mmCIF file of all heavy atoms in Angstrom:
data_model
loop_
_atom_site.group_PDB
_atom_site.id
_atom_site.type_symbol
_atom_site.label_atom_id
_atom_site.label_comp_id
_atom_site.label_asym_id
_atom_site.label_seq_id
_atom_site.Cartn_x
_atom_site.Cartn_y
_atom_site.Cartn_z
ATOM 1 N N PRO X 1 -14.222 1.549 -8.884
ATOM 2 C CA PRO X 1 -13.991 0.131 -8.850
ATOM 3 C C PRO X 1 -12.902 -0.231 -7.781
ATOM 4 O O PRO X 1 -12.156 0.638 -7.366
ATOM 5 C CB PRO X 1 -13.501 -0.155 -10.235
ATOM 6 C CG PRO X 1 -12.855 1.132 -10.661
ATOM 7 C CD PRO X 1 -13.666 2.229 -10.039
ATOM 8 N N LYS X 2 -12.925 -1.447 -7.362
ATOM 9 C CA LYS X 2 -11.877 -1.974 -6.497
ATOM 10 C C LYS X 2 -10.593 -2.053 -7.324
ATOM 11 O O LYS X 2 -10.551 -2.635 -8.377
ATOM 12 C CB LYS X 2 -12.275 -3.250 -5.937
ATOM 13 C CG LYS X 2 -11.231 -3.857 -4.968
ATOM 14 C CD LYS X 2 -11.664 -5.124 -4.349
ATOM 15 C CE LYS X 2 -10.629 -5.651 -3.394
ATOM 16 N NZ LYS X 2 -10.975 -6.937 -2.860
ATOM 17 N N VAL X 3 -9.623 -1.366 -6.819
ATOM 18 C CA VAL X 3 -8.364 -1.271 -7.563
ATOM 19 C C VAL X 3 -7.250 -2.023 -6.758
ATOM 20 O O VAL X 3 -6.874 -1.600 -5.679
ATOM 21 C CB VAL X 3 -7.903 0.162 -7.832
ATOM 22 C CG1 VAL X 3 -6.654 0.203 -8.636
ATOM 23 C CG2 VAL X 3 -8.995 0.896 -8.525
ATOM 24 N N GLU X 4 -6.711 -3.047 -7.334
ATOM 25 C CA GLU X 4 -5.582 -3.814 -6.719
ATOM 26 C C GLU X 4 -4.646 -4.216 -7.829
ATOM 27 O O GLU X 4 -5.039 -4.494 -8.955
ATOM 28 C CB GLU X 4 -6.148 -5.083 -6.047
ATOM 29 C CG GLU X 4 -7.088 -4.817 -4.880
ATOM 30 C CD GLU X 4 -6.314 -4.365 -3.590
ATOM 31 O OE1 GLU X 4 -5.108 -4.604 -3.450
ATOM 32 O OE2 GLU X 4 -7.005 -3.763 -2.731
ATOM 33 N N SER X 5 -3.420 -4.270 -7.550
ATOM 34 C CA SER X 5 -2.401 -4.725 -8.488
ATOM 35 C C SER X 5 -1.149 -5.136 -7.753
ATOM 36 O O SER X 5 -0.945 -4.794 -6.518
ATOM 37 C CB SER X 5 -2.065 -3.619 -9.501
ATOM 38 O OG SER X 5 -1.314 -2.606 -8.958
ATOM 39 N N GLU X 6 -0.280 -5.859 -8.462
ATOM 40 C CA GLU X 6 0.974 -6.269 -7.789
ATOM 41 C C GLU X 6 1.815 -5.045 -7.457
ATOM 42 O O GLU X 6 2.473 -4.985 -6.385
ATOM 43 C CB GLU X 6 1.812 -7.208 -8.650
ATOM 44 C CG GLU X 6 1.181 -8.626 -8.721
ATOM 45 C CD GLU X 6 2.081 -9.562 -9.520
ATOM 46 O OE1 GLU X 6 3.335 -9.400 -9.518
ATOM 47 O OE2 GLU X 6 1.514 -10.436 -10.184
ATOM 48 N N ALA X 7 1.824 -4.057 -8.340
ATOM 49 C CA ALA X 7 2.576 -2.802 -8.064
ATOM 50 C C ALA X 7 2.096 -2.109 -6.800
ATOM 51 O O ALA X 7 2.847 -1.636 -6.012
ATOM 52 C CB ALA X 7 2.514 -1.889 -9.273
ATOM 53 N N ALA X 8 0.720 -2.068 -6.675
ATOM 54 C CA ALA X 8 0.112 -1.431 -5.517
ATOM 55 C C ALA X 8 0.483 -2.164 -4.207
ATOM 56 O O ALA X 8 0.882 -1.600 -3.257
ATOM 57 C CB ALA X 8 -1.394 -1.409 -5.619
ATOM 58 N N GLU X 9 0.420 -3.516 -4.235
ATOM 59 C CA GLU X 9 0.811 -4.241 -3.038
ATOM 60 C C GLU X 9 2.270 -4.103 -2.717
ATOM 61 O O GLU X 9 2.618 -3.968 -1.557
ATOM 62 C CB GLU X 9 0.459 -5.771 -3.242
ATOM 63 C CG GLU X 9 -1.023 -6.084 -3.244
ATOM 64 C CD GLU X 9 -1.639 -5.655 -1.902
ATOM 65 O OE1 GLU X 9 -1.109 -5.813 -0.828
ATOM 66 O OE2 GLU X 9 -2.808 -5.122 -1.991
ATOM 67 N N GLU X 10 3.116 -4.099 -3.716
ATOM 68 C CA GLU X 10 4.551 -3.898 -3.484
ATOM 69 C C GLU X 10 4.786 -2.496 -2.871
ATOM 70 O O GLU X 10 5.582 -2.367 -1.885
ATOM 71 C CB GLU X 10 5.308 -4.025 -4.799
ATOM 72 C CG GLU X 10 6.794 -3.977 -4.679
ATOM 73 C CD GLU X 10 7.473 -4.221 -5.979
ATOM 74 O OE1 GLU X 10 6.930 -4.862 -6.881
ATOM 75 O OE2 GLU X 10 8.618 -3.665 -6.137
ATOM 76 N N ALA X 11 4.149 -1.473 -3.374
ATOM 77 C CA ALA X 11 4.280 -0.123 -2.860
ATOM 78 C C ALA X 11 3.810 -0.035 -1.423
ATOM 79 O O ALA X 11 4.481 0.591 -0.567
ATOM 80 C CB ALA X 11 3.524 0.872 -3.762
ATOM 81 N N ILE X 12 2.716 -0.664 -1.107
ATOM 82 C CA ILE X 12 2.096 -0.693 0.218
ATOM 83 C C ILE X 12 3.088 -1.340 1.223
ATOM 84 O O ILE X 12 3.298 -0.842 2.332
ATOM 85 C CB ILE X 12 0.734 -1.309 0.264
ATOM 86 C CG1 ILE X 12 -0.304 -0.446 -0.502
ATOM 87 C CG2 ILE X 12 0.226 -1.533 1.705
ATOM 88 C CD1 ILE X 12 -1.569 -1.126 -0.873
ATOM 89 N N LEU X 13 3.610 -2.478 0.839
ATOM 90 C CA LEU X 13 4.604 -3.153 1.673
ATOM 91 C C LEU X 13 5.846 -2.317 1.888
ATOM 92 O O LEU X 13 6.328 -2.254 3.037
ATOM 93 C CB LEU X 13 5.007 -4.489 1.052
ATOM 94 C CG LEU X 13 3.999 -5.604 1.079
ATOM 95 C CD1 LEU X 13 4.469 -6.824 0.272
ATOM 96 C CD2 LEU X 13 3.777 -6.069 2.527
ATOM 97 N N ALA X 14 6.293 -1.642 0.909
ATOM 98 C CA ALA X 14 7.458 -0.796 1.004
ATOM 99 C C ALA X 14 7.152 0.393 1.988
ATOM 100 O O ALA X 14 8.034 0.699 2.877
ATOM 101 C CB ALA X 14 7.940 -0.244 -0.319
ATOM 102 N N LEU X 15 6.062 0.973 1.865
ATOM 103 C CA LEU X 15 5.687 2.110 2.689
ATOM 104 C C LEU X 15 5.460 1.697 4.160
ATOM 105 O O LEU X 15 5.908 2.359 5.057
ATOM 106 C CB LEU X 15 4.405 2.817 2.203
ATOM 107 C CG LEU X 15 4.608 3.527 0.827
ATOM 108 C CD1 LEU X 15 3.237 3.932 0.268
ATOM 109 C CD2 LEU X 15 5.471 4.797 1.039
ATOM 110 N N THR X 16 4.936 0.556 4.365
ATOM 111 C CA THR X 16 4.772 0.036 5.743
ATOM 112 C C THR X 16 6.150 -0.325 6.354
ATOM 113 O O THR X 16 6.353 -0.162 7.521
ATOM 114 C CB THR X 16 3.785 -1.175 5.892
ATOM 115 O OG1 THR X 16 4.251 -2.227 4.994
ATOM 116 C CG2 THR X 16 2.371 -0.780 5.553
ATOM 117 N N ALA X 17 7.068 -0.818 5.520
ATOM 118 C CA ALA X 17 8.421 -1.104 6.013
ATOM 119 C C ALA X 17 9.118 0.214 6.360
ATOM 120 O O ALA X 17 10.020 0.187 7.208
ATOM 121 C CB ALA X 17 9.202 -1.814 4.875
ATOM 122 N N LEU X 18 8.721 1.315 5.766
ATOM 123 C CA LEU X 18 9.314 2.648 6.145
ATOM 124 C C LEU X 18 8.669 3.220 7.327
ATOM 125 O O LEU X 18 9.045 4.319 7.752
ATOM 126 C CB LEU X 18 9.169 3.607 4.884
ATOM 127 C CG LEU X 18 10.080 3.241 3.718
ATOM 128 C CD1 LEU X 18 9.683 4.160 2.532
ATOM 129 C CD2 LEU X 18 11.517 3.443 4.050
ATOM 130 N N GLY X 19 7.671 2.570 7.909
ATOM 131 C CA GLY X 19 7.083 2.999 9.164
ATOM 132 C C GLY X 19 5.676 3.648 9.052
ATOM 133 O O GLY X 19 5.119 4.090 10.060
ATOM 134 N N PHE X 20 5.134 3.702 7.885
ATOM 135 C CA PHE X 20 3.755 4.264 7.697
ATOM 136 C C PHE X 20 2.735 3.168 8.092
ATOM 137 O O PHE X 20 2.992 1.989 7.914
ATOM 138 C CB PHE X 20 3.544 4.736 6.255
ATOM 139 C CG PHE X 20 4.353 5.877 5.887
ATOM 140 C CD1 PHE X 20 5.511 5.765 5.175
ATOM 141 C CD2 PHE X 20 4.068 7.172 6.288
ATOM 142 C CE1 PHE X 20 6.332 6.775 4.773
ATOM 143 C CE2 PHE X 20 4.880 8.256 6.000
ATOM 144 C CZ PHE X 20 5.982 8.108 5.222
ATOM 145 N N LYS X 21 1.588 3.601 8.572
ATOM 146 C CA LYS X 21 0.500 2.654 8.941
ATOM 147 C C LYS X 21 -0.030 2.083 7.629
ATOM 148 O O LYS X 21 -0.151 2.777 6.607
ATOM 149 C CB LYS X 21 -0.576 3.304 9.696
ATOM 150 C CG LYS X 21 -0.134 3.699 11.108
ATOM 151 C CD LYS X 21 -1.304 4.217 11.883
ATOM 152 C CE LYS X 21 -0.787 4.533 13.259
ATOM 153 N NZ LYS X 21 -1.616 4.011 14.299
ATOM 154 N N GLU X 22 -0.407 0.760 7.649
ATOM 155 C CA GLU X 22 -0.889 0.144 6.446
ATOM 156 C C GLU X 22 -2.151 0.841 5.842
ATOM 157 O O GLU X 22 -2.213 1.001 4.629
ATOM 158 C CB GLU X 22 -1.198 -1.368 6.727
ATOM 159 C CG GLU X 22 -1.643 -2.046 5.424
ATOM 160 C CD GLU X 22 -1.952 -3.514 5.735
ATOM 161 O OE1 GLU X 22 -1.758 -3.996 6.806
ATOM 162 O OE2 GLU X 22 -2.524 -4.110 4.755
ATOM 163 N N GLY X 23 -3.075 1.208 6.690
ATOM 164 C CA GLY X 23 -4.327 1.854 6.229
ATOM 165 C C GLY X 23 -3.998 3.124 5.489
ATOM 166 O O GLY X 23 -4.597 3.437 4.451
ATOM 167 N N GLN X 24 -3.093 3.920 6.087
ATOM 168 C CA GLN X 24 -2.696 5.211 5.503
ATOM 169 C C GLN X 24 -1.981 4.979 4.163
ATOM 170 O O GLN X 24 -2.349 5.606 3.138
ATOM 171 C CB GLN X 24 -1.794 5.891 6.515
ATOM 172 C CG GLN X 24 -1.419 7.286 6.126
ATOM 173 C CD GLN X 24 -0.480 7.938 7.184
ATOM 174 O OE1 GLN X 24 0.210 7.239 7.855
ATOM 175 N NE2 GLN X 24 -0.571 9.201 7.259
ATOM 176 N N ALA X 25 -1.054 3.990 4.104
ATOM 177 C CA ALA X 25 -0.298 3.738 2.874
ATOM 178 C C ALA X 25 -1.243 3.192 1.781
ATOM 179 O O ALA X 25 -1.167 3.589 0.688
ATOM 180 C CB ALA X 25 0.772 2.685 3.223
ATOM 181 N N ARG X 26 -2.138 2.249 2.235
ATOM 182 C CA ARG X 26 -3.064 1.677 1.236
ATOM 183 C C ARG X 26 -3.964 2.754 0.656
ATOM 184 O O ARG X 26 -4.238 2.756 -0.549
ATOM 185 C CB ARG X 26 -3.852 0.554 1.899
ATOM 186 C CG ARG X 26 -4.770 -0.181 0.953
ATOM 187 C CD ARG X 26 -5.438 -1.424 1.586
ATOM 188 N NE ARG X 26 -4.462 -2.418 2.066
ATOM 189 C CZ ARG X 26 -3.902 -3.346 1.242
ATOM 190 N NH1 ARG X 26 -4.280 -3.383 0.030
ATOM 191 N NH2 ARG X 26 -3.098 -4.206 1.747
ATOM 192 N N GLY X 27 -4.472 3.607 1.509
ATOM 193 C CA GLY X 27 -5.377 4.659 0.984
ATOM 194 C C GLY X 27 -4.667 5.594 -0.001
ATOM 195 O O GLY X 27 -5.238 5.821 -1.069
ATOM 196 N N VAL X 28 -3.479 5.995 0.263
ATOM 197 C CA VAL X 28 -2.733 6.885 -0.655
ATOM 198 C C VAL X 28 -2.386 6.111 -1.954
ATOM 199 O O VAL X 28 -2.602 6.653 -3.050
ATOM 200 C CB VAL X 28 -1.535 7.424 -0.010
ATOM 201 C CG1 VAL X 28 -0.604 8.177 -0.978
ATOM 202 C CG2 VAL X 28 -1.843 8.346 1.138
ATOM 203 N N VAL X 29 -1.858 4.898 -1.859
ATOM 204 C CA VAL X 29 -1.518 4.172 -3.049
ATOM 205 C C VAL X 29 -2.691 3.837 -3.942
ATOM 206 O O VAL X 29 -2.648 3.989 -5.099
ATOM 207 C CB VAL X 29 -0.764 2.847 -2.602
ATOM 208 C CG1 VAL X 29 -0.615 1.901 -3.832
ATOM 209 C CG2 VAL X 29 0.598 3.177 -1.970
#
């Protein structure tokens, strides 16, 4: 299923702020 949540979006934003590419961060999260 498509999995999305506020926690996931927050984690993805934090990881991209740390310099990781969004696609890579989103995939792992």
Side-chain angles (χ1 to χ4, degrees):
K2 182 177 178 182
V3 182
E4 296 283 339
S5 73
E6 283 186 36
E9 287 303 320
E10 187 178 328
I12 292 164
L13 285 173
L15 291 167
T16 54
L18 290 172
F20 294 101
K21 291 189 179 226
E22 183 182 350
Q24 187 181 26
R26 187 172 295 279
V28 171
V29 168

